[in-house]
Amino acid sequence: MLVEVRVKMGGGLLKTLEKTKEGLARVFPLFKGLSREELAVHHAGILVTDKGQRTAWLRYHVMPDGDTMDTAKKPQRILWAK
């Protein structure tokens, strides 16, 4: 399984980091039977949208470490941490 977490950036670096930690805490239970040490972030990037107002999102993909799945593949779930 591949899960993408999107964190809305804003309010300073500390607030963005707190939201990132919250997103990780929400994604770990989705991988039943795997510990946190068996999961890895394989892709990270920043997405900027411009729908009326410019918004920046920190995106990262979480999947089992050592999984042979292509990390560019579409994620099965997207979690939003706003």
Side-chain angles (χ1 to χ4, degrees), residues 48-66:
V48 178
T49 59
D50 199 8
K51 297 179 182 175
Q53 67 180 33
R54 179 165 260 164
T55 306
W57 297 88
L58 174 64
R59 304 187 309 175
Y60 53 93
H61 291 175
V62 179
M63 62 193 311
D65 192 23

Side-chain angles (χ1 to χ4, degrees), residues 17-77:
L17 289 174
E18 288 298 321
K19 288 189 271 186
T20 302
K21 284 174 45 179
E22 175 190 314
L24 282 173
R26 289 177 47 208
V27 80
F28 289 142
L30 297 175
F31 293 92
K32 294 181 182 0
L34 295 176
S35 68
R36 290 183 181 195
E37 291 78 23
E38 295 174 290
L39 299 175
V41 174
H42 286 277
H43 169 82
I46 295 177
L47 170 70
V48 178
T49 59
D50 199 8
K51 297 179 182 175
Q53 67 180 33
R54 179 165 260 164
T55 306
W57 297 88
L58 174 64
R59 304 187 309 175
Y60 53 93
H61 291 175
V62 179
M63 62 193 311
D65 192 23
D67 198 340
T68 59
M69 182 187 302
D70 183 8
T71 60
K73 192 172 182 178
K74 188 173 181 177
Q76 284 83 20
R77 293 209 43 193

